[in-house]
Amino acid sequence: MAPGRAALTVDLETFQQLPAYRQAPGTADRDDLGIEQIEPLLDLLDSHDATCTFFTVSSLAADHPDLLATIADRGHEIASHTKSHGHLPELTAAERQEEIEVSRSTLADATGATVEGFRAPSFQRTDDYLDLLADAGYEYDSSVVAARSIGWYGGGPQLHDPCDATAVDPGAPADLRELPVSVMPGLRLPLTGAWLRLFGIHYTLAGMRLQARKGRAPVLYVHPWELADLPDVEAVPRRVTVRTGEWTWRALERILQQEFEFVTARTLTKGDSNAAKPAPSPSDTDAEGRL
Ligand SMILES: [Zn+2]
């Protein structure tokens, strides 16, 4: 039996937009690391009939408007990852409002599509951002990851299924929805991003199967710069650069080869059920046993 649906989301930002990179000395020698990986990524998604959501930093629209339009034209969802990838808690309320409002209108102008979703950079949330999202016309958020607190994120609401945003914050606008990012049961770390590259592909595939067994659609994320051969950057943590490039390409292909139907975040958020509930199989037991 097919395990059901999954969402492979793309946080479309360049390596230079990472705070760790911005702080590194003397490294801004290559432009927009990650952008060159988008076209081959779209080809890979096509070859697996995968439809994705690109949570996009809207400042990229100025230099790459055709690229964003291409992503939308090829059937993928464009959502917002703010205007400049600033961490929401480090901004003033007015700056947060601008990041949220301007990114939505910029991305809509660049693609001709309606922008319904939002993801906060580094999953860093504030008390006011859900209200700001609703005021700006968004319909869902995907900034909650039920990870253990690990310094730069985590420790937030223990949510694992699409839900009303009021489950995140009882004072949130009633018609706003939330799509939490998946974590490994028990370990409570995300299934992808740095954790894919640190723990290996079998970690991610086992996590996807465990989520499917619970009747949940796994929600994964990847960054285009993880698919690039990154330069050696002084002061950037190894978890940021380890196994980027060819290794991550192969891992992504393995993920897409799994028997999931890869759909957009919007589809999962608005769907009335997450996934088919497959019967446990011996391979699931093996995977759980190894963990
Ligand atoms: Zn990001």
Side-chain angles (χ1 to χ4, degrees):
M1 181 186 293
R5 297 192 293 188
L8 175 66
T9 63
V10 180
D11 288 359
L12 178 42
E13 67 206 26
T14 66
F15 190 58
Q16 284 84 351
Q17 289 170 326
L18 293 179
Y21 188 92
R22 285 199 291 259
Q23 293 161 8
T27 53
D29 56 341
R30 290 166 66 182
D31 289 337
D32 288 359
L33 272 166
I35 294 298
E36 285 181 9
Q37 279 64 41
I38 298 295
E39 287 276 357
L41 174 60
L42 292 173
D43 291 341
L44 179 67
L45 297 175
D46 276 353
S47 69
H48 292 279
D49 290 328
T51 307
C52 296
T53 298
F54 287 70
F55 290 97
T56 303
V57 175
S58 71
S59 63
L60 295 173
D63 289 335
H64 310 283
D66 294 344
L67 180 66
L68 301 192
T70 295
I71 295 169
D73 289 346
R74 289 175 70 164
H76 302 288
E77 178 188 8
I78 296 286
S80 169
H81 197 37
T82 72
K83 184 182 80 169
S84 61
H85 205 264
H87 287 162
L88 296 185
E90 297 167 10
L91 305 176
T92 67
E95 288 169 337
R96 281 195 288 277
Q97 182 179 20
E98 186 190 3
E99 289 277 338
I100 286 169
E101 286 184 356
V102 170
S103 60
R104 182 168 188 261
S105 58
T106 301
L107 293 170
D109 290 345
T111 62
T114 303
V115 176
E116 299 180 13
F118 176 85
R119 176 170 291 157
S122 304
F123 303 105
Q124 292 193 6
R125 299 174 295 108
T126 57
D127 289 341
D128 61 354
Y129 88 109
L130 292 172
D131 286 329
L132 295 174
L133 292 183
D135 290 346
Y138 292 88
E139 297 186 23
Y140 76 90
D141 174 55
S142 185
S143 307
V144 166
V145 53
R148 65 176 65 203
S149 183
I150 47 176
W152 67 98
Y153 68 72
Q158 295 299 301
L159 299 171
H160 302 278
D161 297 294
C163 56
D164 289 338
T166 50
V168 180
D169 177 349
D175 51 358
L176 197 67
R177 296 278 290 168
E178 178 66 40
L179 180 69
V181 171
S182 295
V183 298
M184 178 65 88
L187 187 62
R188 293 171 55 211
L189 289 173
L191 298 181
T192 47
W195 313 108
L196 163 64
R197 292 181 286 108
L198 287 169
F199 296 155
I201 184 64
H202 295 290
Y203 162 80
T204 298
L205 299 184
M208 293 175 72
R209 285 195 296 268
L210 288 170
Q211 293 290 350
R213 282 180 60 190
K214 293 173 182 287
R216 292 177 178 147
V219 179
L220 315 174
Y221 63 90
V222 65
H223 305 89
W225 53 261
E226 293 183 279
L227 299 165
D229 290 317
L230 294 177
D232 290 329
V233 181
E234 190 181 341
V236 171
R238 177 172 149 76
R239 65 176 161 76
V240 176
T241 59
V242 65
R243 285 174 165 171
T244 50
E246 187 57 35
W247 190 95
T248 298
W249 274 115
R250 290 200 306 273
L252 202 53
E253 187 148 30
R254 288 287 300 280
I255 289 169
L256 290 166
Q257 286 168 351
Q258 305 307 303
E259 287 188 42
F260 286 86
E261 179 193 2
F262 288 91
V263 301
T264 64
R266 173 168 52 202
T267 298
L268 288 188
T269 305
K270 295 188 169 180
D272 47 8
S273 68
N274 297 340
K277 289 183 168 57
S281 69
S283 64
D284 291 328
T285 308
D286 290 345
E288 199 164 28
R290 280 202 303 274
L291 289 166

